[in-house]
Amino acid sequence: MRRLCVCLTLLIMTLGVTADARAHGVSGGLEKPVVAPPGYDEASSKGVRAFAVGRYMEARGHFTDAHRIWPTARSLRALGHCEYELRNYAVAVGLLEQSLASTERPLDDVQRAESEELLVRARGYVANFKITTVPAHSHVTIDGLPMAPTGVGVLLPVGLHFVEVSADGYHTRRRELEIQGAVDQEILVELLPRAPAYTGSGPLRADEPLRKKWWFWTGVGGAVTAVVITGLVLALREPEVRDPTGGNSGVVIVVPPAPP
């Protein structure tokens, strides 16, 4: 029944000059009726027929064409109905609000009342979500799409969403966010700064391996050099010869010097 009512009201939008004048309470002799630009009525009629049989994506395409030709409160209303049926509730809220506020071919009393009722239902499936970040210039994405600047609210439909916050010089944070109903939510996300990269002039990093420290290899090199020099000194020193202390064999035994 609701779909039938919607189709009838949408159909009124596409019946040409006479229906449009009737919707505005205009008689032919008092005021010149509104004439739609070429192509508008055809696109709208196709949208109404597709909507009537539940082909909402197709209807949205036709209504988008009509809105591109002649953007009015009624074309916004038709798009809002399509988005609601497609369960894009946040988009539907925005379109219906624009439709109710538009002064270009405004809605009549019946259309306005119906759009206000649908807007209330659509708002029951979304929540106003606001995020504040530290630092404030952080880049925020929700479900892979960039979000408005930090501190600005955005409408999110019920369900699970993925939030990512990043900034140069900081660790990226990711979290899941579940919207369970039309309850406004606000969160604060503070990023942790990254440790500065070692440039060779500042203090050594704690995780730098011992073998990569220059002073380690300098010390090892010094130790190796000392060992080599000591070996050369020992090799080049002449053996110490002591005077015989007795015996009659005439054999002299040379005792090498003790290491230092």
Side-chain angles (χ1 to χ4, degrees):
M1 178 63 69
R2 187 181 67 83
R3 184 189 299 177
L4 178 61
C5 293
V6 171
C7 292
L8 290 175
T9 53
L10 291 175
L11 185 61
I12 294 177
M13 298 163 47
T14 65
L15 293 181
V17 173
T18 303
D20 189 76
R22 188 184 305 115
H24 285 82
V26 177
S27 62
L30 297 177
E31 185 176 340
K32 184 178 180 180
V34 178
V35 178
Y40 176 85
D41 287 343
E42 180 182 1
S44 295
S45 298
K46 290 180 179 179
V48 170
R49 289 195 294 269
F51 190 95
V53 294
R55 299 200 301 266
Y56 302 118
M57 292 188 66
E58 180 181 339
R60 180 175 62 180
H62 293 309
F63 287 136
T64 299
D65 292 338
H67 183 72
R68 188 179 299 112
I69 296 171
W70 191 14
T72 67
R74 303 185 183 199
S75 62
L76 288 168
R77 172 179 172 274
L79 288 171
H81 277 273
C82 288
E83 296 296 349
Y84 181 88
E85 297 297 343
L86 291 170
R87 299 184 180 181
N88 298 326
Y89 300 115
V91 180
V93 167
L95 289 169
L96 291 171
E97 288 178 342
Q98 294 178 56
S99 175
L100 291 167
S102 176
T103 58
E104 179 66 26
R105 200 179 177 215
L107 306 180
D108 61 26
D109 293 340
V110 175
Q111 294 169 343
R112 177 170 292 276
E114 185 206 23
S115 296
E116 289 174 345
E117 179 187 353
L118 186 63
L119 179 58
V120 171
R121 293 206 302 269
R123 283 175 174 165
Y125 296 108
V126 298
N128 186 37
F129 172 70
K130 183 183 296 184
I131 182 170
T132 302
T133 63
V134 178
H137 65 272
S138 300
H139 179 66
V140 181
T141 62
I142 299 180
D143 300 331
L145 300 176
M147 185 182 167
T150 178
V152 178
V154 60
L155 289 179
L156 292 180
V158 294
L160 192 63
H161 302 274
F162 298 91
V163 181
E164 180 177 292
V165 183
S166 61
D168 292 338
Y170 293 82
H171 290 281
T172 298
R173 295 192 64 180
R174 300 175 181 87
R175 62 170 294 180
E176 293 182 351
L177 175 71
E178 185 175 8
I179 303 297
Q180 298 181 342
V183 179
D184 295 348
Q185 298 189 28
E186 183 173 358
I187 63 173
L188 170 67
V189 177
E190 185 173 357
L191 301 181
L192 298 177
R194 294 181 181 274
Y198 177 63
T199 61
S201 58
L204 292 169
R205 293 177 295 180
D207 58 347
E208 188 174 4
L210 183 64
R211 64 179 182 276
K212 292 186 177 181
K213 301 181 186 293
W214 65 269
W215 53 265
F216 172 78
W217 288 111
T218 302
V220 171
V224 172
T225 303
V227 172
V228 172
I229 293 176
T230 303
L232 289 175
V233 171
L234 292 177
L236 294 177
R237 287 181 58 181
E238 295 183 358
E240 182 180 357
V241 180
R242 297 181 181 180
D243 295 334
T245 58
N248 54 10
S249 65
V251 177
V252 177
I253 299 176
V254 179
V255 180

